[in-house]
Amino acid sequence: MEPRVARRLARRATRRDPPRWRGRRALRRLARAIRGGDRVALRAVWQRWLDDPSPLLREIATDGPFGERPDSTSMLRDIALGRLPNPDDPRFGEVLAAALARPDHPVAEAAAALILDAPPATVDAVCADESAVLTAFCVEHRLLPADPAAQAVFLLRTGQDVPYPGPLADGYAAAGWERQGRLRSAAHTGLPAMVLGEDRSRITGLTPGEIVDLGAWYAARQDWPALWRLTLDVSPVSAVELAATFPADWTPDGPHERRLLEVLTRVSPDVMTPFQRFPLPVGFEPTAVAFAPDDSQAAFLDEGGRRSRIAFVDLPGLTIIAEHRWRDRWRGSDAGLLHLGETVIRTGTCPQRFTAAGPPEDVPFAEYDMFRLSSGTHRHGWTSAYGRTVHLGSYLDPDRPRTIDLDERRAGLRGFAVEPETGEFAIHDDRSTFYGRLLLFDRDGALLAEAPLDHLLPSSRPHLIFAGPGRLITIGYDGGLRLWQRHGENLGLAATVDSPRVYGVHGLAAVRKMVVEEFGEPWISAGSLRPARPAFELGRRRRLWTSPDGTWTATTIALHRLVVPAAVAALIDHPQAAASHADLAAVTAESDDHPAVRVVRACLEHRLIHK
């Protein structure tokens, strides 16, 4: 029986109670098919019974054969019949949770009788579900996860007393970002121990939400010494926000600390932003942006209307030098821009060459492979890759790039990325192993480090991005993020984030942050992959384009210029507890014309000299 026919007959059999002649005929057809061993009809009947628990459907489907390979439907059938499926099956806990989530269904009663004899892993899966129905069921039957950390988290979110703070801190650290926010809201006692750990070991990895919640916790209890200690550990911009919560009649001990509090309360958090916003050219919502090597010009490509157009804009005057419009039959989402100084290349399916003086020209066919797929600029030149060849271009001689044959390196090309500061480039090699490997090269093509992959990377979208020199982020096929750090000739895994909703990452090296596409938290830290403070407002499409030296950054709604020295910009939202003497030396060498520079300098001097 075809699946659609079986589903239609199952719906018809339960449309009326009791069934009329059409329903009775549908029941007879399904019963004959099931007695004859038709697994399609049997599956359709049980799936319909889960939505509409008719005794007639259960009666005709009780003895039908399901096959040797169990699935969720067959496991639910076994639960409904009071049979215990294979408890070693990793799906058993999820299936049992799905059965218990139907409180008014007969399968829930059967599942409730089975869970008392289920193994601990099954109980863990049921208690891990945060739905109201399953949470109430676990509380009513006094079910607890076996792991102490998971048990502490369960007790906290169900409003029960947590006897030991250590496991709670471990469970909180293992939870995802969204769950951590709910756990902080549920914590009535012991919030600092849960978030910071018993030894304050997590002080350097706090997210903006955690800092706000901790500050509110201390302020509500008027624990000003603890709040001041937190102020001295978090980033300078967070310290400015926390300083505003102290009462006017409270001052810390010591002249240096009182002087620092005065500096922090004298400024507003708004002046701590390292960027100045400028409007885009009128009517532009760019799909690609490229900056000249010397930051004197920017090119904006807009393919959103009936006609494609590109504008050459003078920086920092923001005046349009030239604008070209044309009908583009090769327009596509893979188009990008590569600024070579006098010339701008539109990369993609059909590369084109632009200048401010004249209309667009097609790139000669002999140069197609140079500009067809992946390309990126850096301080010293540009790098592109297509097929089995990598092209290394220099701004001094852009017409004669060097080439690297990947076949000679026994490497394939499935992913590609360029580091904007050093010119390093990375390749996802898909020829060596099943998952492939990561290869890191310097700007001249010498191999620096490599690492084998143990997870699948997608080929249909960009999945490599630099988080800084020697630091790579990969986007897995499942959407998870992994941070790789170079150690000598190897790339080691430094951090991971599991999420099925990441489709692209864009780096903002000036402030050590990343922008994530299609994710709940758009800004993350490049060092920890945890949520970070927004550097500026993003558009509906979370895209970034940065100039080679990091001075200019474009989004789909605005242009941003870095107005503080790069050494200071990287430290404005960097924890004081993780600052070094090298950071202080870099800040001291800069002019303190900007208020953010003075605040960062005062924080680091107190941290590293006076404290």
Side-chain angles (χ1 to χ4, degrees):
M1 185 177 294
E2 294 184 2
R4 61 182 182 86
V5 175
R7 290 193 296 267
R8 185 179 70 246
L9 291 175
R11 288 193 301 269
R12 183 178 297 170
T14 58
R15 188 170 297 168
R16 297 180 183 275
D17 187 22
R20 297 186 179 181
W21 68 273
R22 289 180 181 270
R24 292 193 297 271
R25 187 171 66 178
L27 282 172
R28 287 194 296 270
R29 287 188 60 183
L30 290 171
R32 285 196 302 269
I34 292 173
R35 285 195 298 269
D38 192 328
R39 296 188 177 92
V40 174
L42 179 63
R43 191 177 310 278
V45 168
W46 276 111
Q47 288 175 343
R48 180 61 184 172
W49 181 80
L50 292 174
D51 297 330
D52 185 2
S54 169
L56 296 175
L57 291 180
R58 175 170 173 164
E59 181 180 352
I60 66 172
T62 299
D63 299 324
F66 244 118
E68 298 178 357
R69 297 184 62 182
D71 58 9
S72 59
T73 305
S74 64
M75 295 174 75
L76 281 170
R77 187 274 303 262
D78 291 341
I79 292 174
L81 297 178
R83 306 170 186 169
L84 182 64
N86 181 14
D88 297 329
D89 194 310
R91 296 167 298 179
F92 176 50
E94 298 178 5
V95 173
L96 196 62
L100 291 171
R102 302 169 181 264
D104 298 328
H105 199 285
V107 73
E109 300 178 7
L114 291 176
I115 195 173
L116 300 179
D117 298 326
T122 303
V123 178
D124 292 349
V126 173
C127 293
D129 194 305
E130 296 189 9
S131 65
V133 174
L134 291 182
T135 300
F137 177 85
C138 292
V139 172
E140 179 184 355
H141 292 79
R142 298 182 179 180
L143 298 176
L144 290 174
D147 180 64
Q151 184 179 125
V153 169
F154 177 81
L155 292 174
L156 175 64
R157 68 180 180 84
T158 54
Q160 305 178 64
D161 293 333
V162 182
Y164 306 109
L168 178 58
D170 296 335
Y172 175 83
W177 300 337
E178 297 178 356
R179 289 192 66 199
Q180 286 180 344
R182 294 195 293 269
L183 292 176
R184 292 197 303 273
S185 301
H188 302 292
T189 59
L191 177 67
M194 180 183 73
V195 175
L196 299 175
E198 292 183 290
D199 55 354
R200 292 175 61 90
S201 58
R202 304 191 185 104
I203 190 65
T204 59
L206 295 181
T207 66
E210 290 172 337
I211 295 174
V212 170
D213 290 344
L214 286 172
W217 170 278
Y218 291 133
R221 289 154 181 79
Q222 297 185 359
D223 191 352
W224 308 121
L227 180 59
W228 178 245
R229 185 183 179 190
L230 177 67
T231 304
L232 297 179
D233 287 333
V234 298
S235 65
V237 62
S238 296
V240 170
E241 293 177 340
L242 292 177
T245 62
F246 287 97
D249 58 350
W250 185 89
T251 57
D253 297 332
H256 298 297
E257 295 196 355
R258 287 194 292 269
R259 190 177 304 117
L260 177 60
L261 179 59
E262 182 182 351
V263 172
L264 295 176
T265 55
R266 196 183 301 156
V267 299
S268 167
D270 296 336
V271 304
M272 295 295 291
T273 176
F275 293 97
Q276 182 180 359
R277 179 186 172 113
F278 296 91
L280 292 175
V282 178
F284 265 83
E285 185 178 356
T287 55
V289 181
F291 295 88
D294 58 357
D295 282 352
S296 62
Q297 189 186 97
F300 294 84
L301 176 67
D302 186 356
E303 296 184 317
R306 294 183 178 180
R307 297 171 65 91
S308 299
R309 57 177 180 162
I310 187 171
F312 292 81
V313 179
D314 173 62
L315 298 177
L318 300 179
T319 57
I320 297 181
I321 304 172
E323 182 177 350
H324 304 299
R325 298 171 182 258
W326 72 99
R327 292 190 180 276
D328 187 5
R329 59 194 178 97
W330 297 107
R331 180 172 57 189
S333 60
D334 63 337
L337 288 183
L338 187 63
H339 208 306
L340 305 181
E342 298 293 333
T343 305
V344 174
I345 304 294
R346 174 188 175 273
T347 63
T349 306
C350 184
Q352 292 177 296
R353 190 187 306 272
F354 297 87
T355 62
E361 300 176 357
D362 290 340
V363 170
F365 185 75
E367 301 179 12
Y368 259 34
D369 288 353
M370 200 180 303
F371 304 113
R372 281 186 63 176
L373 185 60
S374 302
S375 62
T377 58
H378 51 88
R379 290 177 181 266
H380 311 282
W382 54 271
T383 307
S384 68
Y386 182 78
R388 301 298 183 191
T389 306
V390 176
H391 305 273
L392 308 177
S394 170
Y395 292 137
L396 301 178
D397 192 5
D399 295 328
R400 291 192 297 176
R402 295 176 50 236
T403 60
I404 297 178
D405 189 350
L406 294 179
D407 285 330
E408 297 179 358
R409 308 286 182 99
R410 296 182 179 180
L413 179 64
R414 189 160 187 158
F416 178 78
V418 179
E419 210 286 315
E421 181 178 353
T422 62
E424 296 174 351
F425 63 94
I427 287 176
H428 173 204
D429 166 31
D430 61 349
R431 293 177 61 178
S432 54
T433 63
F434 179 77
Y435 295 113
R437 57 178 177 162
L438 293 179
L439 302 177
L440 178 64
F441 299 85
D442 66 11
R443 73 172 192 236
D444 296 322
L447 181 63
L448 297 177
E450 62 178 284
L453 294 172
D454 60 355
H455 60 288
L456 192 62
L457 300 184
S459 59
S460 59
R461 60 179 185 266
H463 53 269
L464 279 181
I465 182 70
F466 272 92
R471 297 169 63 85
L472 272 172
I473 289 180
T474 58
I475 308 174
Y477 188 81
D478 57 353
L481 297 177
R482 288 170 174 83
L483 175 64
W484 303 82
Q485 174 73 51
R486 179 192 173 193
H487 301 285
E489 297 181 354
N490 298 313
L491 287 169
L493 195 61
T496 60
V497 172
D498 295 327
S499 173
R501 293 177 290 172
V502 178
Y503 295 97
V505 180
H506 308 277
L508 189 57
V511 290
R512 301 177 183 175
K513 295 178 182 178
M514 319 290 290
V515 170
V516 180
E517 294 184 27
E518 302 296 333
F519 196 72
E521 297 283 350
W523 291 91
I524 62 173
S525 168
S528 63
L529 302 186
R530 303 197 73 202
R533 181 186 304 273
F536 42 72
E537 182 183 359
L538 297 171
R540 176 178 53 86
R541 293 182 293 122
R542 300 173 179 177
R543 298 293 308 276
L544 287 183
W545 300 273
T546 307
S547 63
D549 67 352
T551 302
W552 291 91
T553 301
T555 67
T556 58
I557 60 173
L559 192 63
H560 302 270
R561 184 184 184 185
L562 192 65
V563 293
V564 300
V568 179
L571 297 172
I572 289 177
D573 199 20
H574 185 65
Q576 301 175 62
S580 64
H581 286 277
D583 296 331
L584 177 58
V587 174
T588 306
E590 302 291 348
S591 172
D592 59 354
D593 297 337
H594 196 279
V597 180
R598 295 192 289 271
V599 171
V600 173
R601 182 172 180 173
C603 289
L604 297 191
E605 286 180 345
H606 178 271
R607 180 82 190 185
L608 300 171
I609 297 177
H610 303 308
K611 188 173 179 180

